[in-house]
Amino acid sequence: IEYFDKALNINPQNIDAYHNRGISKQMLGDEHGAINDYSQAIALKPNDFDSYTNRGVSKMRLGNYEAAIEDLKKAIEINPKFGLAFSNLGNAYRSIYDFDKACEAWTKALELGNESCKEKIEKNCL
């Protein structure tokens, strides 16, 4: 985080520094700080599907499922072949007990190569 802070002091428009600092904060459990950094990255690069996905995960961890679903849908809109966003979208839907939409999202993630969804589908959808 310290190095990303330094990078942002040099160049406050550094999208990668915001994104990667967000990842670091997320790994430390600072979901609010991560959301702020991902939001900065998105403000600078509105088609940053990685930041939308990661921000959605942070929102989900905070229990803000509807906002997480919005971010994950936006990531998919930008990159419809991003299996990780579909996987996380399925997780968000499962959190609000919408198993039909969860299974649909996990199935799409699996079709895109995200093998981690296979077990989720077997456990929740069959």
Side-chain angles (χ1 to χ4, degrees):
I1 291 173
E2 181 181 328
Y3 290 113
F4 296 125
D5 290 342
K6 288 178 182 179
L8 289 165
N9 283 334
I10 294 167
N11 178 7
Q13 305 296 310
N14 187 330
I15 297 160
D16 291 333
Y18 282 115
H19 180 82
N20 290 321
R21 188 173 72 177
I23 291 171
S24 298
K25 288 179 180 179
Q26 202 170 34
M27 291 174 70
L28 293 171
D30 179 8
E31 303 301 341
H32 292 289
I35 289 168
N36 289 335
D37 282 341
Y38 295 135
S39 295
Q40 287 292 329
I42 291 166
L44 293 168
K45 183 180 175 188
N47 64 344
D48 185 358
F49 62 89
D50 280 322
S51 288
Y52 274 108
T53 301
N54 290 349
R55 188 173 75 175
V57 170
S58 283
K59 289 177 178 180
M60 190 172 17
R61 289 178 179 167
L62 292 172
N64 193 350
Y65 303 113
E66 296 300 329
I69 289 167
E70 284 181 35
D71 276 352
L72 294 163
K73 283 182 172 182
K74 183 64 177 179
I76 290 165
E77 178 185 315
I78 295 166
N79 183 355
K81 296 190 183 287
F82 192 42
L84 182 60
F86 280 101
S87 176
N88 285 311
L89 180 62
N91 296 342
Y93 278 127
R94 180 184 59 195
S95 296
I96 60 170
Y97 305 102
D98 190 335
F99 288 97
D100 290 338
K101 288 183 181 175
C103 292
E104 184 180 316
W106 289 329
T107 300
K108 184 64 177 175
L110 183 60
E111 288 171 9
L112 292 170
N114 191 322
E115 292 294 321
S116 69
C117 290
K118 191 172 188 177
E119 184 177 329
K120 294 174 188 178
I121 292 168
E122 290 171 357
K123 187 174 183 179
N124 296 284
C125 304
L126 301 176

